[in-house]
Amino acid sequence: MEFVTIAQVRDAGAARIVIVALRAHGFHPLEPREGGLPGVPSLFGSGGVGIDVPEDEARDATVLVQELLKDMGKADT
């Protein structure tokens, strides 16, 4: 199964919320890959946390993620 990154979220807390919401809506996102230290955001880059879903779910999941981020006031992520 191929996974694609549909969003990069700078705020790790917001990324966790988005991943939980995706699962609640029946999508299958990957767990974020931990690369830094707890409490130290973006240690290895400024891109934030990648939200990855199966390729066949990407279109619908992208719409949901965009709306969630907009509702959270994080539309610029």
Side-chain angles (χ1 to χ4, degrees), residues 2 4 6-8 14 18-20 22 25 27 29-30 33-35 38 44 46 48-50 53 56 60 65 74:
E2 285 288 317
V4 295
I6 60 170
Q8 291 286 122
V18 168
I19 290 169
V20 169
L22 283 168
H25 283 86
F27 295 103
L30 287 177
R33 292 169 292 286
E34 294 294 329
F44 296 111
S46 61
V49 178
V53 297
D56 61 338
D60 294 332
V65 168
K74 302 200 179 289

Side-chain angles (χ1 to χ4, degrees), residues 12-75:
R16 284 190 295 273
I17 292 168
V18 168
I19 290 169
V20 169
L22 283 168
R23 282 200 191 100
H25 283 86
F27 295 103
H28 303 92
L30 287 177
E31 283 294 318
R33 292 169 292 286
E34 294 294 329
L37 301 170
V40 182
S42 302
L43 183 63
F44 296 111
S46 61
V49 178
I51 307 293
D52 301 317
V53 297
E55 191 172 35
D56 61 338
E57 298 177 359
R59 193 178 100 219
D60 294 332
T62 299
V63 172
L64 178 59
V65 168
Q66 289 173 344
E67 290 301 314
L68 288 168
L69 292 173
K70 186 169 60 171
D71 287 348
M72 288 190 285
K74 302 200 179 289

